[in-house]
Amino acid sequence: MTASSSPPQLPEHRPGILQELLAQARQLESCLAELDVQPLLLVYGHLTGDSATIDRFAPYIKGAWGFEESVPEEMKAELRGKLIATLKDYAEAGRPLPPAPSRELLQKMADTAVGTHVPEAYYAMIYDELNFDGKDAKTVRWRETPGAARLANFKVLVIGAGFSGIAMGAKLKEAGYNFVVVEKNDNVGGTWYENTYPGIAVDTPNHFYSYSFRMEPNWDHYFARGDEIQTYIEKCYAEMGIADHVRFEQEVASTIWDKDKGIWNVKVRRKDGSTYEESYNAVISAAGLLNVPAFPKIPGMDRFKGPLFHSAHWDHNVDIAGKTVAVIGTGASGQQIIPAIADKVGKLVVFQRSPHWVRPNPLIFRTVTDNWKWALANIPYYNKWYRFLLLWATADGLLPQMRTDPNWTNPLSLNAENQRIREWLEANIREQVNGDEELIAKVTPKFPPYGKRMLRDGGYLKTLTRDNVELVTGPIQTFTETGIVDEHGVEHRVDVICLATGFKAQCPLTPIEVVGTNGSIRDHWGEDDPRAHLGITVPDFPNLFLIYGPNTNLGHGGSALFHSECQIRYIMQALREMIEGDLDVVEVKREPFEDYNRKVDAEFEGMVWMHPGVASWYKNAKGRVVTNSPWALSVYHKLTAEFAPEEYAMSKVKAEAV
Ligand code: NAP
């Protein structure tokens, strides 16, 4: 895993790609016949600037997904022919591929391919995310190259080697920093390494749920299984060449700010329990949000005599074949586990406290065909345009219907579009459970769609109709030695219990003791009220940066990695400010922090997550949404694109103190 390797080069950056395509003309032709029209139109538009052709397709495209177009077959064939001729023309003329499309062309292409107007706010983000020239616009480069001694004497600690932590490490390495990544597990991957329950998969399409600087043409699934994602993370890690900086099986126990010296004193615990201390100039938490399992407070849990484990720590030593198994919780984890084990166990008892909305997804188990993989690996810009379509279809395109229309009176939805989605989801429930009215009543949420995380239907609803599956609703009363007692006092005897009960997402940095200039982070945040400026920095905690901090989880859709990359860029800019300005301390001022948090709270007004009928892990005990970002991806991208020095107190510590 640590041997370094090279990332696959995308075709637009591969010398000789056009000649290769010419040589494989037959493959190209058969491949194009299988691909969706929207990405092909974008590639064609990009290569030719032929806006008249783009205009002709516009009336037939209603959305970014392949199933949202009604382009006549002869027009599709014509487009394929034109694209092949264009590629041939480039190859024969020896012309270089064009750079990023102009702003005007991009507008026309984007509007047509997603079937609606893409607002101005998106364009900076699209250019950054799609990284047309391969130079990674999100990389923060030195304005003045610092001396080697300055960098050597400035030590950075990254907590966690999950998706975000290793990307942070890669950027620190590129810039020449002296850094260490401390990881509690014996491998990279974080939540993807730890969660190995049956059925685990991502529910964001992974051609988008992957680094923008390391797009992967060879995903086997549109929604990758857990092990495929773990393999991708390990591959990226090997390519990053940061292994010398990573310390596995070590956990940060505490980090305490020394204001006289302007450094963090960090205590690290090894696997054997021994500890050591080190000082760092800056600490970056990439510890994640969904990493501390939440165990429900149900009476008698310790009475149960059989195997009992949390979904995040699936016990693979327990043989569930033929056994009676209880799964408590029907969130994202539960709904993946339940269909994956139903045909292996003797009986499955599903405990649902409250239902979640589930949307159909035709691609969820589909594998990527060889032709698709070939296109992603060989057709210039295809990978990037496909990523853009996913970004739109699974993220910001969904945001407007999550806001209440003040004139809307139906309490079960927020507006006309949200109601339309509700009806679509209800129809899916009815179909999946074969019209079983009792089951329909049990699994249909009484809150508007998207109030809790929208789940993708991977067979959960259908599984509930199996003869060996029983759905028990309502709160659990108690555990016994042999089973679980429901709210009606009925004991369900089971052999094994899996708690798919989620994570302690409202106390980031748990269980690390973090002490700043004015007490610990828990004194500031309490148990469940974390706040940060842009989700990244906190007053009284200088030189501390958070990735996936408060109010940065994406509830409407989109890839958490998109946010991580925004945060990494911002942190790299903050560090650059320190190094180039020869500064020791950078601390966000209270005013911008409070102003930002006021705006966040105001933005939530009227949003679906605040709906009174919704209880979820997004909200704290007082009803404030503390995990989610209220912003469109384009807004957060803009908010974090430039580190604003005026929002920070930046200083040097006195020389004699150091
Ligand atoms: P979750 O969404 O918080 O779901 C926890 C489930 O446990 C809910 O059904 C909850 O019921 C139930 N529960 C909690 N305490 C209970 C109690 N005392 N008695 C009975 N039921 C109880 O947790 P999760 O499913 O692990 O997912 C957490 C997040 O992880 C997701 O929202 C997502 O962000 C991420 N995730 C993603 C994927 C993916 O990409 N495919 C997969 C897994 C997880 P209530 O609904 O009534 O609270």
Side-chain angles (χ1 to χ4, degrees):
M1 194 190 69
T2 50
S4 71
S5 52
S6 309
Q9 235 181 345
L10 291 178
E12 53 275 17
H13 311 307
R14 216 160 71 211
I17 180 64
L18 293 165
Q19 280 65 30
E20 273 179 48
L21 283 181
L22 266 193
Q24 300 179 66
R26 196 167 297 159
Q27 166 91 44
L28 178 63
E29 215 165 301
S30 78
C31 163
L32 292 190
E34 212 182 275
L35 305 179
D36 288 345
V37 75
Q38 293 96 325
L40 284 189
L41 186 64
L42 288 169
V43 172
Y44 173 74
H46 185 176
L47 296 182
T48 60
D50 175 359
S51 53
T53 296
I54 297 170
D55 283 342
R56 281 181 47 226
F57 279 75
Y60 304 100
I61 298 178
K62 299 282 171 255
W65 290 109
F67 53 82
E68 292 178 298
E69 52 86 5
S70 55
V71 178
E73 284 309 314
E74 60 277 12
M75 277 178 71
K76 289 184 186 169
E78 180 197 322
L79 177 66
R80 294 195 291 267
K82 281 180 160 180
L83 183 54
I84 291 172
T86 303
L87 290 165
K88 204 168 160 210
D89 186 43
Y90 266 99
E92 286 172 355
R95 264 195 295 149
L97 290 165
S102 69
R103 173 69 184 75
E104 195 188 354
L105 176 63
L106 184 54
Q107 179 85 58
K108 185 176 279 291
M109 288 165 56
D111 288 0
T112 303
V114 305
T116 187
H117 177 68
V118 176
E120 168 66 31
Y122 283 84
Y123 289 94
M125 170 177 120
I126 294 172
Y127 283 117
D128 272 8
E129 180 72 11
L130 299 191
N131 181 22
F132 288 105
D133 60 5
K135 290 193 181 136
D136 188 7
K138 291 189 203 159
T139 293
V140 176
R141 297 187 167 81
W142 294 114
R143 292 169 296 209
E144 285 169 44
T145 309
R150 172 67 178 139
L151 279 180
N153 292 329
F154 188 90
K155 287 176 65 189
V156 182
L157 172 69
V158 180
I159 306 174
F163 247 133
S164 301
I166 61 170
M168 187 75 240
K171 297 296 169 195
L172 290 168
K173 181 178 161 102
E174 271 169 37
Y177 281 91
N178 178 3
F179 72 99
V180 169
V181 182
V182 167
E183 166 55 52
K184 67 179 170 12
N185 293 322
D186 61 3
N187 196 355
V188 295
T191 196
W192 289 108
Y193 179 64
E194 287 178 19
N195 281 263
T196 60
Y197 59 74
I200 184 163
V202 67
D203 59 10
T204 303
N206 36 266
H207 292 93
F208 175 36
Y209 185 78
S210 44
Y211 300 124
S212 68
F213 57 85
R214 172 52 173 88
M215 294 184 200
E216 170 63 63
N218 286 313
W219 290 108
D220 285 331
H221 294 85
Y222 295 94
F223 293 86
R225 320 281 88 198
D227 53 0
E228 202 183 343
I229 297 178
Q230 179 63 19
T231 302
Y232 169 78
I233 297 174
E234 289 179 13
K235 255 198 291 187
C236 293
Y237 172 60
E239 291 161 12
M240 287 165 178
I242 57 169
D244 291 349
H245 298 260
V246 183
R247 299 179 188 163
F248 289 113
E249 298 188 309
Q250 299 191 6
E251 199 168 345
V252 173
S254 65
T255 174
I256 295 172
W257 179 250
D258 180 332
K259 91 170 170 339
D260 294 328
K261 293 186 177 159
I263 51 170
W264 286 101
N265 290 321
V266 179
K267 186 194 273 186
V268 180
R269 192 181 304 112
R270 300 186 188 89
K271 198 182 173 197
D272 64 8
S274 63
T275 60
Y276 67 91
E277 292 191 17
E278 268 179 358
S279 300
Y280 290 92
N281 299 79
V283 172
I284 301 167
S285 170
L289 180 77
L290 302 166
N291 63 349
V292 181
F295 286 84
K297 294 188 180 77
I298 298 172
M301 226 165 77
D302 51 353
R303 272 206 296 270
F304 182 66
K305 293 273 189 247
L308 179 151
F309 47 82
H310 192 277
S311 56
H313 297 140
W314 187 272
D315 188 343
H316 292 277
N317 293 320
V318 175
D319 182 9
I320 57 170
K323 302 270 171 52
T324 299
V325 176
V327 174
I328 300 177
T330 55
S333 303
Q335 290 210 9
Q336 291 185 325
I337 293 167
I338 289 158
I341 64 170
D343 64 350
K344 298 180 180 62
V345 300
K347 182 174 180 195
L348 182 57
V349 190
V350 175
F351 287 84
Q352 170 201 277
R353 187 167 61 179
S354 59
H356 289 241
W357 283 113
V358 184
R359 59 177 288 158
N361 176 13
L363 290 178
I364 199 148
F365 294 124
R366 200 175 292 169
T367 49
V368 183
T369 63
D370 288 344
N371 273 339
W372 267 80
K373 288 187 192 172
W374 189 87
L376 290 159
N378 292 291
I379 298 180
Y381 298 122
Y382 185 77
N383 209 323
K384 292 180 179 173
W385 288 118
Y386 183 49
R387 189 176 178 97
F388 160 69
L389 291 165
L390 294 174
L391 186 156
W392 184 265
T394 64
D396 288 355
L398 298 165
L399 198 56
Q401 57 83 21
M402 294 183 201
R403 253 173 218 295
T404 308
D405 171 350
N407 300 316
W408 194 255
T409 51
N410 182 347
L412 297 177
S413 52
L414 303 176
N415 52 51
E417 177 58 10
N418 191 254
Q419 174 64 20
R420 189 194 65 75
I421 294 175
R422 180 179 189 99
E423 286 165 16
W424 174 56
L425 301 177
E426 283 175 345
N428 180 55
I429 293 175
R430 179 164 290 280
E431 188 188 327
Q432 296 302 316
V433 305
N434 309 321
D436 178 334
E437 295 295 345
E438 199 184 327
L439 207 43
I440 291 172
K442 284 181 176 176
V443 299
T444 304
K446 295 196 171 43
F447 54 85
Y450 286 92
K452 296 187 198 183
R453 184 184 167 96
M454 177 60 72
L455 305 179
R456 294 192 187 267
D457 189 355
Y460 167 70
L461 291 166
K462 200 158 249 355
T463 302
L464 297 178
T465 67
R466 288 175 65 102
D467 289 341
N468 71 334
V469 176
E470 182 183 1
L471 178 66
V472 180
T473 55
I476 291 168
Q477 223 179 75
T478 184
F479 282 39
T480 63
E481 286 188 8
T482 48
I484 300 170
V485 179
D486 68 22
E487 63 172 335
H488 305 294
V490 176
E491 186 192 11
H492 301 265
R493 293 173 77 94
V494 297
D495 304 311
V496 180
I497 297 176
C498 166
L499 303 170
T501 45
F503 299 87
K504 288 188 174 170
Q506 295 163 353
C507 8
L509 292 167
T510 302
I512 306 168
E513 187 193 4
V514 183
V515 182
T517 56
N518 188 20
S520 88
I521 201 93
R522 293 284 148 244
D523 300 335
H524 290 247
W525 289 350
E527 279 309 306
D528 65 357
D529 201 12
R531 291 164 200 258
H533 181 54
L534 302 169
I536 303 173
T537 49
V538 187
D540 296 331
F541 294 85
N543 300 11
L544 174 71
F545 303 94
L546 310 177
I547 300 176
Y548 210 168
N551 292 114
T552 63
N553 180 59
L554 281 161
H556 66 284
S559 159
L561 300 183
F562 177 88
H563 267 193
S564 289
E565 289 187 15
C566 290
Q567 290 146 11
I568 289 169
R569 165 161 62 183
Y570 185 89
I571 294 166
M572 289 299 290
Q573 290 174 350
L575 296 179
R576 178 175 68 181
E577 214 62 40
M578 295 181 79
I579 297 290
E580 291 185 357
D582 199 21
L583 298 161
D584 300 312
V585 182
V586 56
E587 179 183 348
V588 67
K589 293 177 187 164
R590 195 150 284 279
E591 203 179 296
F593 158 83
E594 281 174 357
D595 183 50
Y596 177 75
N597 278 277
R598 261 193 305 273
K599 285 184 182 142
V600 165
D601 290 347
E603 194 69 17
F604 281 127
E605 289 306 320
M607 278 193 92
V608 68
W609 306 312
M610 296 290 284
H611 195 276
V614 181
S616 74
W617 60 267
Y618 298 160
K619 283 189 207 172
N620 67 9
K622 289 193 189 124
R624 180 175 170 260
V625 176
V626 294
T627 55
N628 285 12
S629 164
W631 313 118
L633 269 61
S634 57
V635 174
Y636 193 70
H637 173 268
K638 190 166 179 205
L639 285 168
T640 53
E642 295 288 342
F643 175 79
E646 65 278 10
E647 294 183 336
Y648 286 79
M650 298 198 277
S651 58
K652 273 189 84 60
V653 292
K654 289 194 186 75
E656 64 271 21
V658 184

